[in-house]
Amino acid sequence: MAHTHLFSRGAVAGRFLERNRPGGAWSLLILLSATAAAVDSPLRVVFGRDAFAHFFLFDLLITLLFTADIAFHFWIARKSHIPYGRLLLLADIVAALPLQLAFGWTPFALVRIFKLARVAQAMSTWRQHHIHLWNTLRLVYFVYWLALSVHWLSAGWLALRGIPPGADEWGAYLRSLYWCISTLTTIGYGDITPHTNAQVIYAMVVMIFGVGMYGYVIANISTIITNLQPARTRYLANMEKLGAFMRSRDIPQAMQRKIRDYYGYVWEQRLGYDEASIVQGLPPGLLVEVSLFLKRDIIAKVPFFTGANDDLVKEIALAMQPVVYTPGDVVVRAGDPGTDMYFISRGSMEVIAPDGQSVVATLRDGEFFGEMALLRNQPRSADVRAASYCDVYRLDKRSFDSVMAKFPDFAAHVRSIGSKRMDRSR
Ligand code: CMP
């Protein structure tokens, strides 16, 4: 198995990273402490002390955590053979330096902000691992960075204004936050105004940032919210297109209803996705795994498959294609040549007598039909009609012949059912 050997190292690293990807308790702890440090450090500069009133303890804890995190990432890099990114290493080291503790100058606390590089990296990894949550995460990340930016801008404003001695520090911060939000949202009441040149320049920068942010919000939030339900949006767009098409071609109302019902059913059962085309694009190993998973319902329902050889189940799962039939659809017609056999996953099918009226048999979940024509190389012996919406899996003649030749047990089982049916039809 050459490919197993080729991929094994990558696969081990992949599994290792899977276990240690952001989301693990350690990474979460680091992300939380990086955020706490990013909130705390500008306040240290403004208040001359930390936000949590445990100046020394908090700084020591952060230094220890960030240093341990560097060791942790070196360890991961060695195990997974994926090198420690140079820029990330630099950011990690700078953020871990206890500069303020060593030199006592509060602006040194700002180096902790470099640890946010890890937050940005974790966010991008999360997004890759949870691609289905792309839009939700985009929204959450936006709110996270916006909240941090507003906090920093408020702290900056407070630093420029200064806090009069003996004044309420948190009250001053609250007013600064209020000024920042009203400026950013372009409301600007004008009750707090810049006095010095530096304040005027700062206010202009915040205003420009606010306009940019406003533009971003308007342009993105509505798309994000619409995209939160991409399948539904796509379905509604397709239904509209379908409606326009049917009207333009004057399709009769009853037929239009049937078409809409069909798409409604496919939407409910499969969210409008074409299972076959999605599966076909996968690499071979994953293709087998996903096919087995997607077809687990039919594999569990066909009694013969439950105890059957794994290779047989794999081959059939790969070859079977999902098809949906609506009530009244004739799936096979008496006299036609046989090209496929069918396994019913959900729904019921009626075998119609040669008179075209009476029902000879009703086949349900887990049963199959269409095998007789393939076995005997003869035309179809009867009509088979969908009595309800049916999820069916189709096995083409070539795969049928290959499975019958390779797996004698299965061949015997299909033949015995086929001949019983033939006896009954005589
Ligand atoms: P085939 O002849 O290929 O096409 C019609 C199918 O109806 C046939 O295969 C069987 O799978 C099925 N069929 C025919 N007669 C019966 C019966 N008496 N009971 C159940 N199924 C039947």
Side-chain angles (χ1 to χ4, degrees), residues 332 351 360-361 363 369-373 380-382 384 421 424-425:
V332 304
V351 181
V360 178
L363 306 174
F369 62 92
E371 78 295 352
M372 282 160 66
R380 297 287 191 201
S381 59
V384 178
R421 285 174 176 175
R424 253 183 280 152
S425 315

Side-chain angles (χ1 to χ4, degrees), residues 13-79:
R15 250 176 282 132
F16 184 82
L17 287 178
E18 187 68 20
R19 258 183 281 128
N20 292 288
R21 69 180 181 197
W26 176 256
S27 302
L28 204 62
L29 179 65
I30 290 300
L31 300 186
L32 286 178
S33 46
T35 308
V39 170
D40 170 72
S41 50
L43 292 180
R44 280 175 187 246
V45 180
V46 180
F47 292 168
R49 61 169 181 81
D50 64 334
F52 307 104
H54 293 290
F55 185 92
F56 178 75
L57 257 184
F58 183 74
D59 223 25
L60 192 66
L61 188 68
I62 290 287
T63 306
L64 288 178
L65 279 175
F66 287 5
T67 310
D69 190 47
I70 296 176
F72 174 72
H73 283 287
F74 267 120
W75 180 66
I76 283 198
R78 207 159 57 90
K79 290 268 179 197

Side-chain angles (χ1 to χ4, degrees), residues 104-425:
W105 191 49
T106 46
F108 270 144
L110 293 176
V111 294
R112 302 293 193 201
I113 287 174
F114 281 100
K115 198 66 184 173
L116 289 178
R118 277 274 165 223
V119 177
Q121 191 220 20
M123 284 180 170
S124 112
T125 317
W126 269 328
R127 209 150 44 176
Q128 280 157 24
H129 279 288
H130 302 283
I131 210 97
H132 56 290
L133 294 176
W134 183 275
N135 279 297
T136 314
L137 290 179
R138 216 167 118 191
L139 198 63
V140 171
Y141 296 170
F142 173 73
V143 171
Y144 175 88
W145 292 117
L146 182 67
L148 270 189
S149 311
V150 170
H151 171 66
W152 289 329
L153 289 172
S154 308
W157 179 248
L158 201 55
L160 282 177
R161 306 275 284 190
I163 307 170
D168 168 18
E169 285 172 345
W170 286 107
Y173 171 76
L174 198 65
R175 257 154 214 84
S176 178
L177 192 65
Y178 159 81
W179 171 83
C180 191
I181 290 175
S182 65
T183 309
L184 277 178
T185 50
T186 72
I187 293 169
Y189 284 117
D191 50 349
I192 300 176
T193 48
H195 299 308
T196 64
N197 287 348
Q199 288 174 16
V200 171
I201 293 170
Y202 191 83
M204 285 192 296
V205 171
V206 174
M207 283 171 197
I208 291 169
F209 182 75
V211 171
M213 185 205 79
Y214 216 66
Y216 179 88
V217 171
I218 302 289
N220 283 277
I221 297 294
S222 65
T223 338
I224 291 175
I225 288 171
T226 321
N227 287 345
L228 282 178
Q229 291 186 307
R232 187 163 182 83
T233 313
R234 213 158 45 95
Y235 166 75
L236 290 176
N238 282 340
M239 285 306 248
E240 251 181 61
K241 247 200 284 182
L242 181 71
F245 167 76
M246 294 191 300
R247 279 192 301 277
S248 77
R249 301 301 298 264
D250 281 337
I251 293 180
Q253 283 300 326
M255 202 184 280
Q256 286 198 19
R257 204 169 320 117
K258 259 194 110 178
I259 297 175
R260 277 210 187 87
D261 282 356
Y262 167 76
Y263 280 113
Y265 178 79
V266 172
W267 153 251
E268 250 178 51
Q269 297 302 326
R270 301 169 198 277
L271 294 176
Y273 290 114
D274 175 9
E275 187 176 308
S277 70
I278 291 174
V279 172
Q280 285 316 317
L282 295 173
L286 195 56
L287 178 81
V288 177
E289 208 177 305
V290 174
S291 293
L292 281 174
F293 180 78
L294 288 177
K295 289 160 190 167
R296 68 194 184 285
D297 52 342
I298 185 73
I299 292 168
K301 276 176 190 165
V302 176
F304 184 82
F305 289 157
T306 358
N309 181 317
D310 277 359
D311 293 335
L312 162 74
V313 174
K314 253 187 222 168
E315 183 154 347
I316 291 205
L318 269 181
M320 283 193 304
Q321 296 300 330
V323 204
V324 173
Y325 290 102
T326 59
D329 286 347
V330 178
V331 184
V332 304
R333 206 172 280 281
D336 281 356
T339 51
D340 308 88
M341 86 174 274
Y342 302 84
F343 293 90
I344 304 171
S345 169
R346 185 175 10 205
S348 57
M349 291 277 180
E350 290 172 341
V351 181
I352 312 292
D355 63 11
Q357 295 294 323
S358 44
V359 175
V360 178
T362 302
L363 306 174
R364 296 178 206 286
D365 298 15
E367 293 188 277
F368 58 78
F369 62 92
E371 78 295 352
M372 282 160 66
L374 301 189
L375 282 172
R376 296 181 300 159
N377 251 330
Q378 279 183 2
R380 297 287 191 201
S381 59
D383 278 5
V384 178
R385 193 176 59 198
S388 64
Y389 274 102
C390 292
D391 276 328
V392 171
Y393 283 93
R394 189 173 59 204
L395 186 69
D396 65 274
K397 183 163 166 35
R398 211 157 56 97
S399 312
F400 174 82
D401 288 341
S402 142
V403 172
M404 294 291 278
K406 277 194 217 157
F407 304 100
D409 284 2
F410 180 69
H413 173 72
V414 174
R415 276 203 190 93
S416 97
I417 291 191
S419 52
K420 266 185 219 148
R421 285 174 176 175
M422 217 180 314
D423 292 346
R424 253 183 280 152
S425 315

